């Protein structure tokens, strides 16, 4: 899977930003598609409705006794609700960023109100309050976009009382987070969003390499992302798995089967069949008729069964006796392939998908599956080795 070389995906060849007013630059103004279904849209809308209602209702009740005359709900909480209920997996929507980001930004904004008298410029005081709030949130790992609005609101509203940071700002934020925990988990959206445990113990080389590559790309990207590193890793892994499944699903028997076939017929002497198995270093021989249709298959297991090699005593002698041709016209042992072959053979068509054969190899003990073509004639053979090789190629991103 290729990853853009630079922080802007509009020009991935050299990792450079597109030139101003170019076609790619104008395309950036087109709104991105929200890839969620109607049920998810309704879920987040109802979550914001309930979250703001409960927060406002409880703070309104508390306002009569704790801080009569003060606002009981702050406007930036609406933006916090968007994050908590619409993107509960976002690092900026987690409990600490919501509570810490809003409260600390409120304190910074209140300090900015006092700074107006020193600076003599409300515009400069407002700008310094927002910038300081962002710097503080970054330092304390609680970056929360509505926090910037909270700091600005304090300065523009002339909120000079530090108590305002605790009521309503802190109480609003805590109640909204509690509503988010209850609602998101009730609707099967984990909140707070769990992070993956660090890799410990025996971990595959590929997993460690994926971690290292992801860290390197994020370091080069060097921008704040509204998605956690662990979610990026999970999305990348799921994408790779989906691509693997798709590539494997497209493979047909004709794509991987062995076409250089070694076959025998019903009347082929056992000694000749055994010699073919030894010389070609194969484990099975398809048995065909004169029209090259499958009549059976003979494997090493068939030889062992016919020679009664379930016991190791006299192993060599029993096998030699079986494959040795009898000179007389009468024989009390098998002489030709057709007498010991397996007659019931599982076959597959050339156009059958390879994934359909995986259960046959995995659970039924099959090691070789003949492939038939037009007129049910034998055209190839798929072995377990062919299957493993195909799985390996499908897993290779460069394949």
């Amino acid at each position: 899977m290729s990853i853009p070389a630079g922080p802007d995906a509009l020009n991935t060849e050299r990792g450079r930003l597109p030139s101003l007013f170019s076609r790619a630059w104008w395309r950036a103004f087109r709104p991105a598609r929200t890839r969620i279904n109607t049920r998810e849209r309704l879920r987040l809308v109802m979550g914001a409705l309930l979250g703001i209602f409960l927060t406002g209702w409880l703070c309104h009740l508390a306002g009569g006794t704790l801080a009569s005359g003060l606002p009981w709900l702050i406007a930036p909480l609406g933006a916090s609700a968007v994050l908590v209920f619409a993107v509960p997996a976002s690092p900026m929507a987690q409990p600490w960023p919501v509570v810490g980001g809003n409260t600390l930004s409120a304190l910074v904004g209140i300090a900015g109100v006092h700074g107006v008298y020193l600076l003599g410029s409300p515009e400069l005081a407002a700008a310094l309050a927002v910038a300081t709030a962002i710097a503080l949130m970054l330092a304390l790992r609680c970056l929360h976009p509505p926090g910037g609005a909270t700091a600005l609101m304090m300065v523009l509203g002339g909120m000079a009382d530090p108590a305002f940071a605790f009521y309503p700002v802190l109480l609003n934020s805590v109640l909204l987070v509690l509503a988010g925990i209850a609602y998101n988990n009730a609707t099967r959206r984990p909140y707070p969003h769990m992070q993956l445990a660090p890799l410990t113990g025996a971990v595959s080389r590929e997993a460690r390499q994926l971690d290292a590559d992801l860290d390197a790309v994020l370091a080069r990207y060097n921008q704040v992302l509204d998605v956690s590193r662990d979610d990026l890793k999970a999305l990348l892994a799921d994408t790779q798995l989906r691509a693997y499944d798709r590539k494997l699903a497209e493979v047909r028997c004709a794509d991987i089967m062995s076409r250089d076939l070694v076959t025998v017929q019903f009347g082929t002497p056992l000694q000749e069949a055994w010699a073919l198995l030894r010389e070609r270093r194969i484990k099975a021989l398809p048995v065909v008729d004169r029209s090259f249709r499958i009549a059976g298959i003979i494997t090493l297991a068939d030889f062992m069964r016919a020679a009664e090699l379930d016991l190791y005593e006299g192993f060599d002698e029993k096998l030699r006796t079986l494959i040795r041709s009898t000179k007389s016209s009468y024989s009390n042992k098998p002489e030709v392939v057709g007498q010991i072959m397996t007659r019931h053979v599982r076959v597959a068509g050339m156009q059958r998908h390879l994934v359909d054969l995986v259960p046959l190899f995995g659970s039924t003990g099959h090691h070789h599956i003949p492939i038939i073509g037009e007129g049910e004639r034998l055209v190839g053979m798929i072995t377990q080795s062919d299957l493993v090789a195909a799985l390996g190629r499908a897993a290779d991103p460069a394949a």
Side-chain angles (χ1 to χ4, degrees), residues 143-374:
L143 185 63
H144 187 60
T150 302
L152 184 61
M153 186 184 76
M154 299 299 106
V155 177
L156 297 180
M159 300 294 180
D161 186 359
F164 193 88
F166 302 97
Y167 179 88
V169 178
L170 176 61
L171 185 59
N172 279 182
S173 302
V174 170
L175 290 176
L176 185 70
V177 164
L178 293 176
I181 291 173
Y183 183 82
N184 283 321
N185 285 281
T187 54
R188 298 185 178 181
R189 294 294 182 272
Y191 184 80
H193 192 63
M194 300 297 179
Q195 301 300 311
L196 297 177
L199 295 176
T200 57
V203 181
S204 68
R205 179 178 177 273
E206 290 77 8
R208 292 192 181 279
Q209 189 62 51
L210 177 61
D211 271 4
D213 290 342
L214 183 58
D215 288 337
V217 170
L218 289 176
R220 186 171 57 187
Y221 193 85
N222 195 31
Q223 293 186 29
V224 176
L225 292 176
D226 198 16
V227 59
S228 71
R229 174 193 177 281
D230 292 342
D231 284 339
L232 280 175
K233 178 181 176 182
L235 288 170
L236 179 60
D238 286 346
T239 301
Q240 290 176 331
L241 181 60
R242 184 176 179 85
Y244 172 78
D245 290 341
R246 174 180 49 77
K247 289 171 66 176
L248 188 60
E250 294 172 353
V251 178
R252 298 181 183 272
C253 293
D255 299 326
I256 70 162
M257 67 183 184
S258 302
R259 299 175 183 269
D260 184 17
L261 298 175
V262 181
T263 63
V264 293
Q265 294 185 338
F266 187 97
T268 302
L270 293 180
Q271 191 171 17
E272 182 180 334
W274 180 258
L276 285 173
L277 292 173
R278 291 287 302 275
E279 291 170 5
R280 297 300 186 98
R281 295 184 178 181
I282 54 180
K283 298 178 181 179
L285 290 168
V287 182
V288 296
D289 59 18
R290 292 181 178 179
S291 299
F292 223 66
R293 293 186 177 91
I294 287 287
I297 192 169
I298 184 168
T299 66
L300 294 176
D302 293 320
F303 276 95
M304 295 179 66
R305 183 175 59 254
E308 299 179 353
L309 296 179
D310 51 336
L311 297 176
Y312 287 106
E313 182 180 356
F315 184 97
D316 294 343
E317 183 57 34
K318 288 181 178 180
L319 183 59
R320 279 194 292 268
T321 301
L322 173 68
I323 65 176
R324 185 185 300 124
S325 298
T326 303
K327 303 302 182 182
S328 63
S329 59
Y330 172 78
S331 175
N332 59 357
K333 70 175 186 67
E335 295 291 333
V336 296
V337 165
Q339 293 177 282
I340 69 169
M341 69 179 185
T342 300
R343 298 176 182 273
H344 300 289
V345 184
R346 295 293 296 267
V347 298
M350 292 178 61
Q351 299 306 314
R352 190 171 182 182
H353 289 95
L354 182 63
V355 290
D356 296 336
L357 303 189
V358 173
L360 295 179
F361 284 108
S363 60
T364 61
H366 282 74
H367 300 280
H368 313 80
I369 297 181
I371 306 302
I372 57 175
E374 187 178 353

Side-chain angles (χ1 to χ4, degrees), residues 48-134:
L49 186 153
L50 293 173
I52 292 295
F53 172 75
L54 291 174
T55 299
W57 179 60
L58 292 174
C59 285
H60 204 175
L61 292 178
T65 56
L66 293 178
S68 180
L70 286 177
W72 41 268
L73 202 61
I74 59 170
L77 201 70
S80 296
V82 174
L83 290 171
V84 170
F85 296 100
V87 282
S90 168
M92 301 181 190
Q94 301 313 298
W96 169 235
V98 176
V99 176
N102 279 331
T103 306
L104 292 171
S105 296
L107 290 171
V108 171
I110 291 168
V113 173
H114 297 283
V116 172
Y117 303 104
L118 298 175
L119 298 172
S121 169
E123 295 83 3
L124 181 57
L128 283 174
V130 173
T132 304
I134 293 174

